[in-house]
Amino acid sequence: MLDLTADPVELTAALVDVPSVSGAEATLSDALERALREQAPHLEVIRSGAAVLARTRLGRDQRVLLAGHIDTVPIADNLPSHREGDLLYGCGTSDMKAGDAVFAHLAATLTEPRHDLTLVFYDCEEIEADRNGLGRIERELPEWLRADLAILGEPTGGTVEAGCQGTLRVEIRTHGRRAHSARSWLGDNAVHHAAEVLARLGAYSPRDVDIDGCVYREGLQAVRIAGGVAGNVVPDECVVTVNFRFAPDRSADAALAHVRDVFAGYDLTVTDLSPGALPGLTAPSAQQFLAATGTTAHAKYGWTDVSRFAALGIPAINYGPGDPNLAHTREEHVDTRVINRSTDVLRRFLG
């Protein structure tokens, strides 16, 4: 049984100790649902697949949505959790069960919040986008995602990271002609032709874009290369996979057009494309939260689900106690002092 009223650090450890690799979140979802129903009677609680949703209906002027994914990447010999001084180690501590614990604790203990609250603990964020629980909720329960501000508990080290980069992944193919490698002059090596693709990447100069005081740095990188069919055959095809992380002032279509320009003359196949999200810091609700943190907002490097909320017209920011540099690592951990500080900030803002 999860104790949502317990110290958020202890609650983080309890959440971490329930394995919830993407696609296998049901045990943790069951525990969260049961705890919310029994310990937070002031909340309406429902289930959507492996996601658990809860909300108040107090008639407040504004509604704040707190969203956190409960799945993790595969375990890397880093469970159960353990403490070393102020640090709590374990799979999912930083990304993002510490944020989930803060949200769940506040949901249970703030019975008369200043704003109406919606809690969304969702599944399958760490895998392919078409399985993301937020997408299912948007399709089946759109009224549950209506809010004046969305706070996503992604790891930010207890600071505000605004918006997010978009991400585009393409496969670039080069072609040749097969031949026996002992008679290579009869063939045309497709892997060798990929040298020009890599040369264009090496010469590429990424943009730095300042949007509302947040600087987004773009990046265009080869992330995989594959070619060849056997050790004695000249390859007739090579595939270079390229990832473009683009600033949110570019639309998805503009990002794709830019990559096509960079690799003009080559065949491109799009394998993944998600738009970014503008900072949204001009919204009064975002300004109020930023003031409550006493920090300066920075750009979010990487794609997060704030993009989904931004597409719905909801100002959305990233704010969580985890360290983004530790996400998905074998040594993943979270500073317990930041958990407590983040809890205090959100309690002041919400309560």
Side-chain angles (χ1 to χ4, degrees):
M1 174 62 72
L2 299 173
D3 183 359
L4 304 185
T5 64
D7 180 278
V9 173
E10 299 303 321
L11 181 55
T12 299
L15 294 177
V16 168
D17 288 340
V18 182
S20 57
V21 175
S22 303
E25 305 95 336
T27 300
L28 182 55
S29 300
D30 291 344
L32 270 172
E33 181 184 10
R34 185 168 61 250
L36 285 166
R37 290 188 184 280
E38 294 179 1
Q39 300 168 41
H42 58 286
L43 298 175
E44 175 189 1
V45 180
I46 67 168
R47 185 75 172 259
S48 168
V52 181
L53 298 85
R55 66 184 174 188
T56 63
R57 289 180 173 274
L58 301 172
R60 304 293 196 243
D61 291 337
Q62 289 191 322
R63 178 172 291 277
V64 176
L65 188 151
L66 306 177
H69 65 81
I70 59 173
D71 62 319
T72 71
V73 295
I75 298 162
D77 298 320
N78 51 359
L79 282 186
S81 63
H82 70 277
R83 290 278 293 270
E84 294 183 15
D86 290 318
L87 305 181
L88 175 66
Y89 285 80
C91 182
T93 46
S94 185
D95 187 17
M96 55 168 286
K97 290 186 177 180
D100 292 331
V102 171
F103 291 168
H105 174 77
L106 292 171
T109 58
L110 284 176
T111 58
E112 290 290 334
R114 177 187 312 166
H115 310 292
D116 265 310
L117 299 181
T118 299
L119 285 297
V120 179
F121 299 104
Y122 62 101
D123 53 312
C124 291
E125 188 271 349
E126 298 288 7
I127 52 177
E128 55 269 27
D130 61 359
R131 292 181 62 187
N132 189 305
L134 270 184
R136 181 187 65 252
I137 293 166
E138 182 181 348
R139 293 188 300 272
E140 299 176 1
L141 300 164
E143 71 279 3
W144 276 83
L145 298 185
R146 295 187 185 125
D148 299 286
L149 175 69
I151 300 174
L152 195 67
E154 287 285 355
T156 66
T159 64
V160 172
E161 292 185 345
C164 70
Q165 295 168 305
T167 182
L168 165 64
R169 199 158 49 245
V170 298
E171 293 178 342
I172 302 172
R173 283 175 168 75
T174 59
H175 304 282
R177 185 173 63 254
R178 285 196 193 190
H180 196 297
S181 60
R183 302 172 183 82
S184 58
W185 60 89
L186 299 178
D188 183 18
N189 196 309
V191 172
H192 294 181
H193 291 318
E196 172 59 24
V197 174
L198 301 179
R200 294 191 193 186
L201 285 167
Y204 183 78
S205 296
R207 294 190 310 159
D208 286 357
V209 184
D210 189 320
I211 307 173
D212 295 341
C214 297
V215 178
Y216 297 86
R217 184 173 187 181
E218 296 187 325
L220 188 66
Q221 294 287 311
V223 294
R224 188 174 185 272
I225 185 166
V229 294
N232 59 354
V233 177
V234 175
D236 60 349
E237 182 180 80
C238 182
V239 181
V240 181
T241 303
V242 173
N243 184 212
F244 182 36
R245 297 290 177 148
F246 54 94
D249 64 332
R250 293 190 200 262
S251 67
D253 289 342
L256 179 56
H258 176 70
V259 172
R260 290 194 187 281
D261 286 344
V262 173
F263 297 105
Y266 287 95
D267 297 328
L268 270 65
T269 302
V270 178
T271 59
D272 184 55
L273 178 55
S274 296
L278 292 166
L281 294 175
T282 57
S285 54
Q287 284 291 313
Q288 291 166 13
F289 181 70
L290 187 60
T293 68
T295 64
T296 301
H298 301 281
K300 180 66 177 178
Y301 290 109
W303 186 91
T304 76
D305 280 312
V306 297
S307 177
R308 295 179 184 272
F309 292 110
L312 295 172
I314 302 170
I317 57 178
N318 303 281
Y319 181 79
D323 182 342
N325 296 321
L326 297 171
H328 303 184
T329 65
R330 187 176 294 271
E331 64 276 9
E332 184 177 1
H333 61 268
V334 64
D335 190 322
T336 59
R337 294 166 296 185
V338 183
I339 294 177
N340 289 325
R341 186 165 68 245
S342 300
T343 304
D344 291 342
V345 167
L346 280 163
R347 187 179 296 279
R348 286 197 304 272
F349 175 68
L350 299 172

